[in-house]
Amino acid sequence: VSLVLLLVFQTQNAFNDNFVRFVVMGLAMAAAAGSMVGDNIEFILATMITTPFILLAPVAGYLSDRFSKRDVLLGCLFLQLALFFLLAAAVAMRSVELAVFGFFLLAVQSTLFSPAKLGILKELVGSRRLGFANGLMSMLTMVGILAGMWVAGQWFDFLLAKYNAANGEAPDNAWRAALIPMLGAGAASIFAIVLGFAVQRTPSHPDEPFSKTVPVRHFVHLRQLFADRTLRYTALFTTFYWFIANFLGLEFVQFAKELYPEAGKAGRMSATASMLFAIGGGLMVGSTMVSILSRHRIRISFAPLGGIGMALGLFGIGSIPPASPGWYLSLGFLGFASGFYVVPLNAWIQDQARDDHRARVISALNLMTSFS
């Protein structure tokens, strides 16, 4: 029951992160077109996603190793609810800067949430079913990511087009189009808190007290990760995957800008979401298959096959005319192969890490992927 509840509210957390990202992106493009923020919002938000993981990785790892991971997750869910009040206030005040800052704080919440949600898996299911649980989490995380982007893109573009038709094109229409979606997603986050209380409380490890050196132990944790050959190579291979994934994520926004060059008109967010939906849909199918095939043990041998499949998918994306059926098929195949590549690697690194240092290993990995 705890595993099911964890999977549900971590999916909701992924939904909210990407929902807010797309609403803020669309808002900045439409309401602040021609400014530094409006014209470069996708790069600004990408930087704000990774910066907390880099700055706070040791703290996030320490908290999830020191305290019950269930309690850390609950604290993050309460923080998420508070941040939605801030984001709604930013939209009501017509402040792009405050909305971007609110998104940054939401990325801080994700930094603390990530090692707790991944580290708690082995404590709930053990080693034998860890591959199965990771496959489900990977698939459902992608469901949350895709649903958040798709719902935000469609909802925002629909309202923006509606207000443009009624009032003529004006920056204020973007603000009005952003407010209702933001309030709706914030209300849904209350549901996640209710589920969090029902998750089994996992053990804490009070052996190591907090010290003033904890916030700057980036290289200590990286050194611990690299000292183990298995963890080192698994982390490097996983980092490569996230380099490819985030590179493509930014490229899709550029494609959408070329398809819809006028910032004040609707369409950009929907087009970006469609591209991400193709690759994410493939990842969902691939992750589900790996989860089923790994229900009795971790299948690390799938990772090389997934790497070969990713190479073939990338070749198709680069050689087939963009936005054609074959191009979208290549996106889907890349996502499918990614499931076979990254799911076993995630399960393997969680299984090989020590119980009292698992969250710090995951945080060190997050630090590497953020730099990538």
Side-chain angles (χ1 to χ4, degrees):
V1 172
S2 292
L3 175 64
V4 171
L5 295 174
L6 170 68
L7 292 174
V8 172
F9 74 68
Q10 73 89 31
T11 303
Q12 186 269 347
N13 191 80
F15 175 94
N16 276 358
D17 285 352
N18 289 276
F19 184 94
V20 171
R21 181 183 180 183
F22 258 53
V23 171
V24 172
M25 193 184 302
L27 173 63
M29 286 182 181
S35 69
M36 188 277 291
V37 174
D39 291 346
N40 298 282
I41 188 63
E42 67 272 26
F43 302 110
I44 293 172
L45 295 185
T47 302
M48 290 194 166
I49 291 171
T50 56
T51 300
F53 280 98
I54 293 172
L55 296 178
L56 300 176
V59 175
Y62 171 82
L63 289 175
S64 290
D65 279 333
R66 168 63 180 80
F67 300 101
S68 168
K69 295 177 178 62
R70 195 289 301 262
D71 294 348
V72 175
L73 291 171
L74 263 178
C76 290
L77 294 175
F78 276 106
L79 176 59
Q80 180 189 75
L81 179 61
L83 292 177
F84 268 102
F85 283 107
L86 175 63
L87 286 162
V91 174
M93 294 166 58
R94 305 296 195 259
S95 173
V96 172
E97 293 78 12
L98 185 58
V100 171
F101 179 66
F103 178 80
F104 173 76
L105 294 180
L106 200 62
V108 171
Q109 183 263 0
S110 295
T111 302
L112 303 177
F113 191 85
S114 177
K117 78 164 187 176
L118 292 173
I120 200 174
L121 274 181
K122 188 177 180 181
E123 297 178 13
L124 294 179
V125 303
S127 294
R128 193 167 68 91
R129 294 188 177 272
L130 190 54
F132 171 74
N134 264 278
L136 288 177
M137 179 170 280
S138 179
M139 182 270 290
L140 289 171
T141 298
M142 186 52 62
V143 169
I145 290 171
L146 292 176
M149 292 186 299
W150 188 83
V151 172
Q154 296 293 331
W155 200 352
F156 179 82
D157 278 347
F158 169 77
L159 291 176
L160 181 59
K162 174 184 174 182
Y163 294 139
N164 281 344
N167 308 314
E169 290 186 24
D172 193 61
N173 293 335
W175 292 107
R176 295 177 63 194
L179 183 59
I180 294 175
M182 202 72 78
L183 291 173
S189 66
I190 299 174
F191 174 67
I193 295 175
V194 175
L195 296 183
F197 275 107
V199 171
Q200 173 187 332
R201 194 173 188 275
T202 54
S204 59
H205 300 91
D207 303 339
E208 184 182 350
F210 186 83
S211 70
K212 61 183 179 181
T213 63
V214 167
V216 292
R217 289 183 183 173
H218 299 72
F219 293 104
V220 173
H221 293 170
L222 285 173
R223 186 168 65 247
Q224 292 172 348
L225 174 62
F226 272 69
D228 185 296
R229 184 177 184 274
T230 299
L231 296 179
R232 177 171 69 249
Y233 282 109
T234 307
L236 288 170
F237 294 145
T238 305
T239 298
F240 169 75
Y241 165 79
W242 285 108
F243 174 85
I244 297 296
N246 287 293
F247 178 87
L248 287 175
L250 287 173
E251 283 297 299
F252 294 154
V253 179
Q254 301 305 309
F255 278 132
K257 280 186 173 182
E258 293 189 15
L259 289 171
Y260 297 92
E262 295 185 45
K265 291 189 175 180
R268 283 185 181 180
M269 294 298 96
S270 302
T272 305
S274 297
M275 298 172 199
L276 292 168
F277 195 89
I279 198 168
L283 179 59
M284 287 165 52
V285 175
S287 298
T288 303
M289 287 188 63
V290 173
S291 179
I292 294 171
L293 294 171
S294 304
R295 60 189 180 276
H296 298 304
R297 63 185 176 91
I298 298 171
R299 303 273 187 174
I300 193 64
S301 59
F302 286 167
L305 298 177
I308 295 171
M310 286 171 61
L312 294 174
L314 287 166
F315 179 80
I317 294 169
S319 59
I320 297 174
S324 65
W327 190 75
Y328 276 105
L329 185 63
S330 296
L331 289 179
F333 183 76
L334 174 62
F336 176 80
S338 297
F340 279 78
Y341 181 80
V342 76
V343 170
L345 292 175
N346 280 335
W348 191 248
I349 202 167
Q350 292 167 33
D351 189 49
Q352 296 298 309
R354 283 170 39 192
D355 288 349
D356 58 340
H357 280 74
R358 184 173 299 114
R360 270 169 276 198
V361 166
I362 294 170
S363 286
L365 174 60
N366 287 340
L367 180 63
M368 293 171 61
T369 59
S370 295
F371 272 118
S372 79

